[in-house]
Amino acid sequence: ASPASAETEILVSAAASLTESFKEIGKSFAEKNPGVKVSFNFAATGPLLQQIAQGAPADVFASADQESMDKAEKGGFILPGSRINFAGNSLVLIAPVNMPVVTGLGDLKSGRVQKIAMGNPESVPVGRYTKAVLEKQGLWDTLAPKCVMGISVKQALEYVMRGEVEAGFVYATDAAVARDKVRVVAEIPTDKAIVYPVAVVAGSVNKEKAQAFIQYLRSPEAQTILAKYGFKKP
Amino acid sequence: MPDLTPLWLTLRIASFATAIAFVFAVGFAWLTARFSFWGRDFLDAILTLPLVMPPTVLGYYLIVVWGRNGWLGSWLNAHFGISLMFTWQGAVVAATVVSFPLLFKSARAAFEGVSTEYEQAARILGDTELQVFFRITLPLAVRGLLAGTMLAFARAMGDFGATLMVAGNIEGKTQTAAMAVFDAVQAGDYTLANTLVAIMSVVCVTILVMTNKLANRGRAGR
Amino acid sequence: MPDLTPLWLTLRIASFATAIAFVFAVGFAWLTARFSFWGRDFLDAILTLPLVMPPTVLGYYLIVVWGRNGWLGSWLNAHFGISLMFTWQGAVVAATVVSFPLLFKSARAAFEGVSTEYEQAARILGDTELQVFFRITLPLAVRGLLAGTMLAFARAMGDFGATLMVAGNIEGKTQTAAMAVFDAVQAGDYTLANTLVAIMSVVCVTILVMTNKLANRGRAGR
Amino acid sequence: MRLEIDIRKTLQSGDRRFELEAAFSSQDDLTVIFGASGSGKSLTIQAIAGLVTPEQGRIAVGGKTLFDFHQDINLPARKRGVGYLFQDYALFPHLTVRENIAYPLRKAWYLKLSLDDLQEVAEIMASFEIAHLAASYPAELSGGQKQRVALARAMIKKPSILLLDEPFSALDSMLRHRMRMELLEIRQRFDVPLVVITHDPADVEVFGDTLVIFANGRVEEVCGRKKLAAPENEDGWRTKVCWRAQWKKENLVAQNFAMASGI
Amino acid sequence: MRLEIDIRKTLQSGDRRFELEAAFSSQDDLTVIFGASGSGKSLTIQAIAGLVTPEQGRIAVGGKTLFDFHQDINLPARKRGVGYLFQDYALFPHLTVRENIAYPLRKAWYLKLSLDDLQEVAEIMASFEIAHLAASYPAELSGGQKQRVALARAMIKKPSILLLDEPFSALDSMLRHRMRMELLEIRQRFDVPLVVITHDPADVEVFGDTLVIFANGRVEEVCGRKKLAAPENEDGWRTKVCWRAQWKKENLVAQNFAMASGI
Ligand SMILES: Nc1ncnc2c1ncn2[C@@H]1O[C@H](COP(=O)(O)OP(=O)(O)OP(=O)(O)O)[C@@H](O)[C@H]1O
Ligand SMILES: Nc1ncnc2c1ncn2[C@@H]1O[C@H](COP(=O)(O)OP(=O)(O)OP(=O)(O)O)[C@@H](O)[C@H]1O
Ligand SMILES: [Mg+2]
Ligand SMILES: [Mg+2]
C-alpha cells in the first residue's frame, strides 16, 4: 500500500473456482468499507498455499478444501482462530447434453463409458472427494483406468462440455456455469461436507481489514452473491 | 525409487514430437530462408505464435481442433475411427505444436547463415535442388539445427499444459514426467517432487551432453 | 473491448525479461562457444534445463529461492526491504528464467557460426577481446541472436506457470495477458478468451514482423 | 564454334552501378579472358555457368544453347555440364579433400563410391599432388592446396567446358607450370575447351588461342591467334599483351619489353 | 636487424602431420618468402602476427621481442603492431568498404571518425583506386577489389611491419605494377619493413632484398642481396630464382632463362 493514499489494500488469495463470486463480493465490500481496496489473486489452491508458505504478501487465504487449510494452519501460515467456513458446494456427476449414455453412477462401469473426467485426487480437492466416494461405492478399482485426471476441476468440465468424455465429476457450481452444454446426472453425497474455509494470513499487515473481509463473507449480502453462483451455505 | 513409467513415456513422446517438428520446421525454415515471397515475415511470425500462447490455452485450442468433436478430430474419427484424445499420440501432437517454433526459428537462422556460394558450387557440380539441400545446406547448418533440436526436445519433455489438455493425465498411459512432478508439487510431496526433478534433470542433461559430444565428434573442421 | 492492462503489463514484463536474459545468455553463449573448458557441455545442458521443467514447478523452485522466506529472497528482504513476490519485477524474474535457455542456445549456435578468421583479423587491427566481441562477433551473429531474442520474447509473453507462481494473478498489478486468457478459459468465457488470444496474436505478430523487417533493413550484404 | 556469348546485366550496390555488356565468340579450344580488376570477367563466366542470370542475350557452348532470352531458354546450372573453378575455391568445409573431389561422382545420397570412381579420385589426387591431403578438411589446407583441390573437383566430371577464374594465382611457379601442362593435357585428352581468366601473361601465352580483353564491363578487343594483327599502336598495354600472346616465344625481345613495362 | 625468427610448431590433421621449423633473420626492409605450396610460408607469418602460437622459439621485430618461449613472452596480436594481409582477405562482411578500411582507426565503439581520420581513409581509398566502392559491401566486390580493400585496411594504421600473404595474386598486371610501387613508397615514407609471400618472380625482383626460401616447413635458403652468391649449381630452380633476384634487371638473359623454365 502506498503511503500517499489513505486507502488500505488487502490482497485475497482465493481458489480459482471463487473467481466470479469473489470479484462481485469484493465490489460490494468496497462500497461498504470506503478506504479499503480489495485485490484478488486467483489460482489453484495448491500454488496459493505454496505462495503463502514462501511469504507472499497476501492478507486472506480462501481455499477450496479443508486439507490445504489444515496444512496452512499446521505450518503456522494463518492467524490462529481466524479460520471460518463461508460456503459449501456439492459433488455432481455430469454428462454432455447430447450423450444420453449415463443416467447414474452405476452406468459408469458399462463398456459404453470409455472415459470419465475428474480432478486429480493427488492435487485437486474435487478429485479427492470423487475418489473417496468411488472407493466407498467399491467402484474405484474398476473405474480408475477410465479416469482422466484434470489439473483442475475446470479441465474436467471442459472435457465433458466438448463431449470428449462420457461423464465427469465436478462441483455443482461448475455445472451451473455450463448449463447449456452439460447435464447434471446426479448429485453425489460425500462423506465429508464440501465446505470452503477462509482465514487471515499470519504475515498480513492489515489484519483488521482482513478480518473484516472474512466477516463480510458470512454476511447476507455476500451469501446472496455466493448463492447466485451455485454455492450453498456452509 | 519412484515409478519410472512416466519418464519413459516422456522420452518417447518427446522423441516423436521432436522428429515430427524437425521435418516441418526444416521445411518451413528452408522456404523462408531461401525464398523471398510476399508475406514471408508474416508466415514466420505466425509460425512462432504457439510460443506466445500459455500451453493450457494452446491445449484448449488443440482440443477444439483435434478433439473427438473437433473439426479435424471428428473427421479422423469418422473416417479412420481413431481419436487422439487421451492417447500418447495425442501427447505427441501437443508436444510437437509447442516445440515447433523453437526448431523453426533456429533452423531458419541456421540456413540463412549458410553461404550461398557453397550451394552454387554444388549446383554446378550437378546437384538438384534437393541434393543441394541435403548434401550442403543441411550439413552446413548443423550447429544451429542441433541447438534448435535440443531446445525442442527439452521443451517437448517439459511440456505440461498442452500435453495434459490433449492427452489427459492417465497414469501409466499418458502421464508424463512433467505431470508427475506437477502432481507431486501440488500435493505438497516435495520429497517425491525433488526426486522426480532430479531424475528428469539427470536424464535430460545426459541426453543433451551426449548429443553435444556426438555432434562435435561428427563435425568437420572450421 | 476487454481491459488491455494485462497486455501492456505483459509487454513490459516480456521486454525486461528478454533484455536481462539477453545479457546473460550472450555472456554464457560466448563463454561456451569460444572457450573449451572442462564441463562445458555440462554447463550447456544445465543452462538448458529450465526448459525441461514444467513452468509451475520452476515457479515453485523460484519462490523457494526468491520468496520472502527463500534463501535469496530473505537476504534481499533483510538488506533492502524488498520482496519480489507478487510484484511485476517478480514476474520479470520468472519470465527471464523461462526464456533464458532459448536465447542461450540460439546465441551459442550463432557465435559458433562466426568464422574465427574475422576475429583474428580484428585482433591484428588492434582490437581488445571486448572490442572483437562487440564489433565483429556480435554483429556477425546477429541473425541467430535475433531469432533467439524473438523466441525468448514470445516465450516470456506467453509464460503462465512460473510467472503466476512468483507474481501471482492480481488484476491490474501482476495479471498478464496469458493469465487473463487462462482465467477466461477457466470461467468458460470463450468469447473473451478468443478476443484476448486474437489481440495477443496480433500484437505479437506485429512485433515479430517489425523486428524481422528492421533486422533485414539493417543487415549487411552476404 | 564452341563458345558464343552476348549478354547484358546491370548490378546495383547502393549508388554504384555496374553494367556488364559482354559479347564475344571463340572458335578456339583455349580462350583467355584478360582485363583490369573489376571489369566484369568473373561475372561473365558466372553467367556461362548459370550462377548469374543475364537480363538480355544469349549464351551457347558447342552448339548447345545454355541461355537465350528471346527463346526463353535458361538451363539450370546443374544441366549446363560446365566445370567451374571459383576465385575463392568454394570448397565444402564439412567434407574432406577426398569427399570434396568425389562430390560430383556420388549422385545417390548415401551410396558408397564404386571402385572405379575411387580409382578415379585417387588418380586425379595423385596427378594434382594432393593425395597426402585426402583426409584433411579445407580449413587445414594452405592456399595453394585449396586451389588444387578445387581444380581436381571441377575436372573430375569431364565437363563440356571448363571455366577457370584465376586458376593459378595461389600456386608457386613450379606448380603453376606443371598445372598448366596438366590442364593442357586434360584439354586434349577429353577435348574440353577451356576459358581462363588470368592476370598472368604467361597464362595468356599458353592458353590464349583466343584472347578476350575486358574493360569496364565491355569486351574491348578479341584477338584470335590466327588473326595476325600487326602491332600498330604499341602505346596501349593491351595491344602489347595481345601482340605478345600472338607472337609467343618466337619473339623474345617483344616479350621482354612487355615484361619490363608490366612488372 | 629488423626481423628475427626461430620457431617450431607441429600441426596435425588426422594422420597427416606438418612440422614447421622456421628460422631466419633479415636485416633488410624487404623480405620475400618464396616456396612451394604448403611449405609453411603462411604459417610462419601468422606466427609473426600472433595468430599461431609456436611451441618453441623466439620472434623479434625491430628489436622488440614478440614471442619468446623461454622468457615466457607472447604478446597478443593487438599489441604486436603488425599489418597483415590475409590470403583470402578476411574483409568484414557486415561492414562497407569504407568502414572496413576505417576499422582500425575507430577505437571507441560508437564514436564518429574525426575529420582527419576521414581524410586519411579517403586518401588511402583514392590511392588504391577504390574510392568508388566506398559504400559497397565485400560481397559486391570483384576478387581484385577485395584485395585492394584488404591492403588499404592493413596499411592505414602504419604498422611497424607489414606482412603480406600473396598480396598481388588477384590483381591485373597494370594494377600489380602500381600497387608494388605504392607499397614501396609507403615502405619508404613510413620506414615500415615488408615481409611478402609471393609466387611471382617479379615480386621477388622488386621486394627481395632478403629472399627466404621455404621447403617442407623448413627454411631451405636465405639469400641477402648483399651476399652476391655465384650461380654455381644452375640445375636447382631455387638457385635460379635466388640468383635472379640478386641480379635483377641487370642481367636480362638470365631472367629470360628463368622465365622460360619457370613458365
Ligand atoms: N589447421 C591445420 N591443421 C593441420 N595442418 C595444417 C593446418 N593449417 C595448415 N596446415 C598445413 O600446414 C602446411 C603449411 O601451410 P601454409 O598455409 O603455411 O602453406 P603455404 O606455404 O602458405 O602454402 P601456399 O603457398 O599454398 O599458401 C600445409 O601442408 C597445410 O596443409
Ligand atoms: N553483387 C554485386 N552487386 C553490385 N556490384 C557487384 C556485385 N558483384 C560484383 N559487382 C561489381 O561488378 C564488377 C565486376 O565484377 P567481377 O567480379 O566480374 O570483376 P572481375 O573482372 O572478375 O575483377 P577481378 O579481376 O578483380 O576479379 C565489379 O566492379 C564489382 O564491384
Ligand atoms: Mg574476378
Ligand atoms: Mg599460404
Side-chain angles (χ1 to χ4, degrees):
Chain A
S2 71
S5 73
E7 203 172 58
T8 42
E9 185 178 348
I10 58 169
L11 182 59
V12 179
S13 272
S17 53
L18 297 167
T19 307
E20 291 82 13
S21 50
F22 264 39
K23 275 187 186 166
E24 212 172 316
I25 292 172
K27 274 195 205 103
S28 85
F29 177 76
E31 278 164 23
K32 293 265 161 48
N33 300 270
V36 181
K37 184 167 172 273
V38 190
S39 297
F40 293 102
N41 173 37
F42 294 112
T45 306
L48 292 179
L49 176 62
Q50 284 156 2
Q51 288 170 337
I52 289 168
Q54 296 301 328
D59 300 294
V60 176
F61 175 37
S63 156
D65 66 334
Q66 299 292 334
E67 278 183 40
S68 302
M69 195 57 90
D70 292 345
K71 276 187 203 160
E73 193 158 19
K74 224 181 284 161
F77 308 135
I78 59 170
L79 210 60
S82 67
R83 172 175 176 171
I84 57 165
N85 295 328
F86 67 94
N89 212 337
S90 56
L91 184 67
V92 291
L93 173 63
I94 56 168
V97 273
N98 52 2
M99 269 193 226
V101 184
V102 180
T103 52
L105 260 188
D107 292 335
L108 296 181
K109 277 188 291 187
S110 134
R112 292 204 291 160
V113 177
Q114 292 178 331
K115 287 280 182 286
I116 304 161
M118 62 181 278
N120 189 343
E122 276 161 40
S123 52
V124 186
V126 69
R128 279 196 285 273
Y129 296 124
T130 309
K131 187 179 174 189
V133 167
L134 292 179
E135 269 173 343
K136 202 169 158 226
Q137 305 262 346
L139 289 170
W140 178 248
D141 291 330
T142 14
L143 294 187
K146 294 182 177 182
C147 286
V148 180
M149 311 297 191
I151 38 160
S152 69
V153 62
K154 294 292 183 186
Q155 195 184 351
L157 178 68
E158 184 74 44
Y159 288 142
V160 180
M161 278 170 64
R162 295 208 51 84
E164 303 294 348
V165 296
E166 286 77 13
F169 292 94
V170 298
Y171 289 128
T173 48
D174 301 312
V177 173
R179 222 169 268 127
D180 51 336
K181 295 224 181 81
V182 303
R183 131 186 95 81
V184 175
V185 177
E187 192 172 315
I188 313 289
T190 47
D191 261 4
K192 266 189 276 175
I194 304 173
V195 278
Y196 288 58
V198 65
V200 176
V201 176
S204 166
V205 285
N206 288 310
K207 293 209 176 61
E208 300 97 79
K209 298 284 188 261
Q211 194 66 53
F213 182 77
I214 287 176
Q215 292 307 325
Y216 185 73
L217 285 177
R218 297 283 285 259
S219 72
E221 293 98 326
Q223 287 297 318
T224 318
I225 294 170
L226 284 167
K228 196 172 97 188
Y229 288 97
F231 289 101
K232 297 185 173 153
K233 291 226 177 314
Chain B
M1 195 68 181
D3 179 18
L4 290 186
T5 334
L7 191 67
W8 302 135
L9 187 67
T10 307
L11 289 179
R12 183 167 56 176
I13 291 173
S15 307
F16 274 95
T18 311
I20 299 173
F22 186 87
V23 173
F24 284 98
V26 161
F28 276 109
W30 181 68
L31 213 69
T32 45
R34 279 291 173 266
F35 302 94
S36 199
F37 49 87
W38 189 88
R40 179 175 62 159
D41 285 344
F42 186 71
L43 177 68
D44 180 286
I46 293 285
L47 294 174
T48 317
L49 261 194
L51 209 61
V52 192
M53 299 292 127
T56 322
V57 175
L58 204 62
Y60 161 69
Y61 285 108
L62 281 174
I63 300 187
V64 172
V65 176
W66 291 101
R68 225 196 299 181
N69 302 317
W71 48 275
L72 256 173
S74 58
W75 180 85
L76 266 187
N77 203 9
H79 290 77
F80 303 96
I82 50 172
S83 168
L84 291 173
M85 289 298 291
F86 311 135
T87 59
W88 69 269
Q89 289 89 343
V92 169
V93 170
T96 304
V97 171
V98 296
S99 51
F100 171 84
L102 304 180
L103 243 165
F104 165 69
K105 271 284 184 190
S106 309
R108 184 176 170 186
F111 289 156
E112 278 174 344
V114 174
S115 163
T116 49
E117 198 192 40
Y118 297 123
E119 299 180 348
Q120 295 214 323
R123 280 188 200 108
I124 292 187
L125 294 172
D127 271 7
T128 62
E129 288 307 305
L130 213 66
Q131 286 175 315
V132 170
F133 178 69
F134 280 103
R135 302 174 74 193
I136 303 294
T137 319
L138 209 58
L140 286 179
V142 76
R143 298 221 135 265
L145 281 176
L146 198 79
T149 308
M150 278 153 85
L151 282 179
F153 186 81
R155 180 75 184 79
M157 261 191 83
D159 182 58
F160 169 67
T163 309
L164 178 93
M165 205 73 175
V166 177
N169 180 7
I170 303 170
E171 226 176 289
K173 217 182 129 203
T174 61
Q175 190 186 50
T176 64
M179 291 180 204
V181 176
F182 182 83
D183 280 351
V185 170
Q186 291 284 291
D189 188 346
Y190 300 115
T191 329
L192 179 62
N194 289 337
T195 317
L196 283 172
V197 164
I199 296 177
M200 254 179 102
S201 305
V202 168
V203 170
C204 201
V205 166
T206 312
I207 293 175
L208 294 178
V209 169
M210 275 177 9
T211 320
N212 254 332
K213 285 248 187 297
L214 274 180
N216 282 335
R217 175 126 46 93
R219 182 164 55 111
R222 196 192 90 85
Chain C
M1 195 69 183
D3 180 19
L4 289 186
T5 335
L7 191 66
W8 302 135
L9 186 68
T10 306
L11 290 178
R12 183 165 58 175
I13 292 172
S15 306
F16 275 95
T18 311
I20 299 173
F22 186 88
V23 173
F24 283 98
V26 161
F28 277 109
W30 181 68
L31 213 70
T32 46
R34 280 291 174 264
F35 302 94
S36 200
F37 49 87
W38 188 90
R40 179 174 62 159
D41 286 344
F42 186 70
L43 178 67
D44 179 286
I46 294 285
L47 293 174
T48 317
L49 261 194
L51 210 60
V52 192
M53 298 294 129
T56 321
V57 175
L58 203 62
Y60 167 68
Y61 285 110
L62 277 175
I63 61 176
V64 169
V65 176
W66 291 100
R68 222 188 302 185
N69 309 325
W71 48 275
L72 256 173
S74 58
W75 180 86
L76 265 187
N77 201 15
H79 290 77
F80 303 96
I82 50 172
S83 167
L84 290 174
M85 290 282 291
F86 288 5
T87 60
W88 71 267
Q89 289 90 341
V92 170
V93 170
T96 304
V97 170
V98 295
S99 51
F100 171 84
L102 303 180
L103 243 164
F104 165 68
K105 270 284 184 189
S106 308
R108 184 177 170 187
F111 289 156
E112 278 174 344
V114 174
S115 164
T116 50
E117 199 193 37
Y118 298 123
E119 299 180 348
Q120 295 214 322
R123 279 188 202 108
I124 292 187
L125 294 173
D127 272 6
T128 62
E129 288 307 306
L130 213 65
Q131 286 175 314
V132 171
F133 178 70
F134 280 104
R135 300 174 74 193
I136 303 294
T137 319
L138 209 58
L140 285 179
V142 76
R143 299 221 131 265
L145 282 176
L146 197 79
T149 308
M150 279 154 85
L151 282 178
F153 186 81
R155 180 73 185 81
M157 263 190 82
D159 183 57
F160 170 69
T163 309
L164 177 96
M165 205 71 177
V166 177
N169 176 14
I170 304 168
E171 223 177 288
K173 216 180 128 203
T174 62
Q175 188 183 55
T176 63
M179 290 177 203
V181 174
F182 184 81
D183 277 1
V185 170
Q186 288 282 291
D189 189 345
Y190 298 113
T191 328
L192 179 61
N194 289 337
T195 316
L196 283 172
V197 164
I199 296 176
M200 254 179 103
S201 304
V202 168
V203 170
C204 201
V205 166
T206 312
I207 293 175
L208 295 179
V209 168
M210 273 175 14
T211 321
N212 253 332
K213 285 250 186 298
L214 274 180
N216 280 335
R217 177 125 45 96
R219 180 163 57 109
R222 198 193 87 86
Chain D
M1 181 163 298
R2 309 202 74 132
L3 173 63
E4 263 182 290
I5 183 165
D6 180 0
I7 52 169
R8 279 155 173 278
K9 170 96 186 171
T10 306
L11 282 151
Q12 187 88 33
S13 138
D15 286 344
R16 191 165 62 92
R17 192 187 177 83
F18 181 79
E19 298 205 8
L20 180 71
E21 252 187 80
F24 65 89
S25 71
S26 163
Q27 278 92 333
D28 296 313
D29 280 351
L30 293 168
T31 306
V32 162
I33 300 183
F34 201 88
S37 174
S39 58
K41 307 183 294 297
S42 295
L43 283 179
T44 303
I45 70 163
Q46 276 168 14
I48 301 177
L51 299 182
V52 159
T53 307
E55 283 144 13
Q56 277 283 330
R58 196 179 114 85
I59 301 170
V61 170
K64 181 169 149 197
T65 304
L66 303 183
F67 176 85
D68 193 317
F69 181 76
H70 288 298
Q71 288 180 51
D72 208 18
I73 296 175
N74 186 10
L75 282 191
R78 72 168 187 284
K79 292 197 180 152
R80 295 197 176 194
V82 306
Y84 189 104
L85 186 81
F86 281 78
Q87 200 164 2
D88 47 0
Y89 324 135
L91 294 178
F92 303 131
H94 60 305
L95 302 179
T96 61
V97 165
R98 183 187 287 112
E99 288 164 346
N100 260 287
I101 295 172
Y103 192 95
L105 300 178
R106 181 152 28 187
K107 287 288 81 167
W109 289 313
Y110 295 111
L111 233 60
K112 287 262 165 202
L113 284 180
S114 71
L115 275 181
D116 276 3
D117 286 348
L118 276 176
Q119 181 62 29
E120 209 176 323
V121 172
E123 268 169 25
I124 206 159
M125 285 200 298
S127 77
F128 283 90
E129 299 185 20
I130 44 178
H132 61 297
L133 306 173
S136 296
Y137 285 96
E140 301 163 341
L141 301 181
S142 78
Q145 289 166 342
K146 277 185 206 161
Q147 205 172 39
R148 278 176 282 160
V149 175
L151 254 173
R153 187 179 68 177
M155 272 152 69
I156 199 161
K157 266 281 282 294
K158 286 117 206 163
S160 68
I161 188 168
L162 188 54
L163 309 170
L164 304 147
D165 200 341
E166 309 192 19
F168 309 122
S169 62
L171 302 181
D172 61 278
S173 44
M174 275 296 274
L175 212 60
R176 203 178 274 216
H177 175 63
R178 245 182 300 150
M179 293 292 294
R180 266 191 209 113
M181 297 305 135
E182 193 69 63
L183 255 185
L184 285 179
E185 200 196 300
I186 292 224
R187 194 203 67 65
Q188 263 156 358
R189 200 167 0 130
F190 299 104
D191 191 30
V192 51
L194 302 183
V195 178
V196 182
I197 296 184
T198 188
H199 290 124
D200 187 342
D203 287 335
V204 176
E205 233 171 282
V206 176
F207 295 111
D209 277 3
T210 295
L211 176 63
V212 180
I213 294 168
F214 269 71
N216 301 321
R218 295 166 141 279
V219 174
E220 187 96 344
E221 206 170 332
V222 183
C223 331
R225 198 191 283 276
K226 289 134 205 167
K227 174 188 156 210
L228 209 141
E232 302 136 302
N233 46 16
E234 290 188 20
D235 52 331
W237 62 275
R238 280 184 219 90
T239 330
K240 272 179 221 146
V241 172
C242 255
W243 181 64
R244 188 163 166 263
Q246 288 162 341
W247 286 86
K248 254 200 352 178
K249 291 168 201 156
E250 289 122 47
N251 196 330
L252 267 170
V253 183
Q255 185 183 350
N256 288 334
F257 179 51
M259 272 300 296
S261 70
I263 280 171
Chain E
M1 179 161 302
R2 310 201 73 132
L3 174 64
E4 262 181 293
I5 182 165
D6 180 0
I7 52 169
R8 279 157 172 277
K9 171 97 187 171
T10 307
L11 283 152
Q12 187 89 33
S13 137
D15 286 345
R16 190 164 64 91
R17 192 188 177 85
F18 181 80
E19 299 206 7
L20 180 71
E21 252 187 81
F24 65 89
S25 71
S26 164
Q27 277 92 330
D28 296 312
D29 280 351
L30 293 168
T31 307
V32 162
I33 300 183
F34 201 87
S37 173
S39 59
K41 306 182 295 297
S42 295
L43 282 179
T44 302
I45 69 164
Q46 277 168 15
I48 301 177
L51 298 182
V52 159
T53 308
E55 281 143 15
Q56 278 282 329
R58 196 180 115 84
I59 301 170
V61 170
K64 180 168 149 198
T65 304
L66 303 183
F67 176 85
D68 193 318
F69 180 76
H70 287 299
Q71 287 180 52
D72 207 17
I73 295 174
N74 186 10
L75 283 192
R78 71 169 188 284
K79 293 199 178 146
R80 296 195 175 194
V82 305
Y84 188 102
L85 186 81
F86 281 79
Q87 201 164 2
D88 47 359
Y89 322 135
L91 294 179
F92 303 132
H94 59 306
L95 302 180
T96 61
V97 165
R98 181 186 289 112
E99 288 163 347
N100 260 287
I101 295 172
Y103 192 95
L105 301 178
R106 180 149 34 183
K107 286 289 79 168
W109 289 312
Y110 295 113
L111 233 59
K112 286 264 163 202
L113 285 182
S114 70
L115 275 182
D116 276 3
D117 285 350
L118 276 177
Q119 181 62 29
E120 209 176 321
V121 172
E123 268 169 25
I124 206 160
M125 285 201 297
S127 78
F128 283 89
E129 299 185 20
I130 44 178
H132 62 297
L133 305 174
S136 295
Y137 285 96
E140 301 162 342
L141 303 181
S142 80
Q145 289 166 343
K146 276 185 206 161
Q147 205 172 40
R148 277 176 283 160
V149 174
L151 254 173
R153 187 180 68 177
M155 273 152 70
I156 200 160
K157 265 283 279 294
K158 285 118 205 163
S160 69
I161 187 169
L162 187 54
L163 309 170
L164 304 146
D165 201 342
E166 309 191 18
F168 310 122
S169 62
L171 301 182
D172 60 278
S173 43
M174 276 296 274
L175 212 61
R176 203 178 276 215
H177 175 62
R178 247 181 298 151
M179 294 292 295
R180 267 192 209 111
M181 296 307 137
E182 192 68 66
L183 254 186
L184 285 180
E185 199 197 301
I186 292 224
R187 194 204 67 66
Q188 263 156 359
R189 194 159 14 123
F190 300 103
D191 191 32
V192 51
L194 302 182
V195 178
V196 182
I197 297 183
T198 188
H199 289 126
D200 187 342
D203 288 335
V204 176
E205 233 171 281
V206 176
F207 296 112
D209 278 2
T210 296
L211 176 63
V212 181
I213 294 169
F214 270 71
N216 299 321
R218 294 166 143 281
V219 174
E220 187 96 343
E221 206 170 332
V222 181
C223 329
R225 198 192 282 276
K226 289 133 206 169
K227 174 189 155 209
L228 208 140
E232 302 136 305
N233 46 15
E234 290 186 22
D235 51 331
W237 63 276
R238 280 184 219 89
T239 329
K240 274 178 219 146
V241 173
C242 258
W243 180 64
R244 188 163 165 262
Q246 288 160 340
W247 284 86
K248 254 203 346 181
K249 292 168 201 156
E250 289 122 48
N251 196 330
L252 266 171
V253 183
Q255 185 183 352
N256 289 333
F257 180 51
M259 272 300 295
S261 72
I263 281 173

